[in-house]
Structures are given as C-alpha cells and as structure tokens.
Amino acid sequence: MTTRSLQLRFFHTRAPLRGEECVIGRSDYCSIVIAHSSISRLHACILTRGRELFIHDFGSRNGTFVNENPVGSEPVPIRLGDVIRLGNVDCSLEENDDHGLSTQKIEECGPLHG
C-alpha cells in the first residue's frame, strides 16, 4: 500500500510534511523552519488524522490563513490546492513527487504578501 506524500511549496522551495504533527515556525525545533520576520517562533501546526489534514495557529502575531480565511487555535481542515498564508508567506499544499526531499529552511527574503 502506497502512502500519500505531501509538501508545502513556498515559491521555489518544497518542504515535505512528515509525521502526524508538522510544526511550522522560525525556531530550529520546528519540523519546517521559515526564517522570515512575519513568522512566529512557533507559528502553526499541520495535523494528519488518517487521510485528513488540519491546520491550527499557535497564537502567532501575524496569523495563519487558509484561502484568506483566518485560522485560530481550533484545527481547520485543509486539502490539496489550498493556499495557506503564514504571516506574510504564501504557500500551497501539494503532492510530493520527490520522496527524497529533506526538510528545508527558508531564509529571510523580505515581504512575500501584501
């Protein structure tokens, strides 16, 4: 049985989602590190529950949005093709065709949204 492999895409960067909880933020302890000034140290978390995915915000300063709808501390369902905005960083949820990708650290690159 083949397991679906997913990733977050940030412009030209792809970061695979691994495990049941994928924490996103500026801290080096996060599963996906985004070194951008609009991202909180612990910004958001993507949860995998069976074949369903959810995202929730950790009370970040600049917020988390799915298709422009704000996300709070309660998990919100997400699916392939959704546009997820973390602070001022836009990304999309996609299938991962390259199963060998390693976790990416996205360096500071200025405002990406707005």
Side-chain angles (χ1 to χ4, degrees):
M1 181 169 136
T2 304
T3 310
R4 180 172 67 159
S5 177
L6 299 174
Q7 66 188 9
L8 285 179
R9 179 180 290 273
F10 305 83
F11 293 100
H12 299 294
T13 303
R14 299 175 296 171
L17 302 180
R18 295 197 172 116
E20 291 183 4
E21 294 187 2
C22 183
V23 176
I24 305 165
R26 276 192 349 254
S27 171
D28 287 336
Y29 296 106
C30 294
S31 307
I32 298 176
V33 177
I34 305 175
H36 188 272
S37 61
S38 69
I39 303 294
S40 296
R41 285 182 187 90
L42 295 175
H43 196 99
C45 183
I46 295 178
L47 308 166
T48 303
R49 299 294 180 255
R51 294 189 53 81
E52 295 183 303
L53 294 171
F54 300 87
I55 190 167
H56 70 89
D57 189 88
F58 286 127
S60 65
R61 182 184 65 202
N62 294 308
T64 299
F65 301 83
V66 174
N67 301 323
E68 295 303 322
N69 297 308
V71 173
S73 61
E74 291 297 316
V76 171
I78 55 175
R79 61 179 190 253
L80 289 175
D82 281 345
V83 176
I84 300 167
R85 181 163 44 98
L86 304 164
N88 293 333
V89 179
D90 285 333
C91 58
S92 60
L93 183 62
E94 302 176 349
E95 286 200 66
N96 182 357
D97 294 329
D98 182 357
H99 299 288
L101 286 175
S102 61
T103 300
Q104 300 284 334
K105 181 174 181 178
I106 294 89
E107 297 298 332
E108 178 76 45
C109 56
L112 304 176
H113 189 275

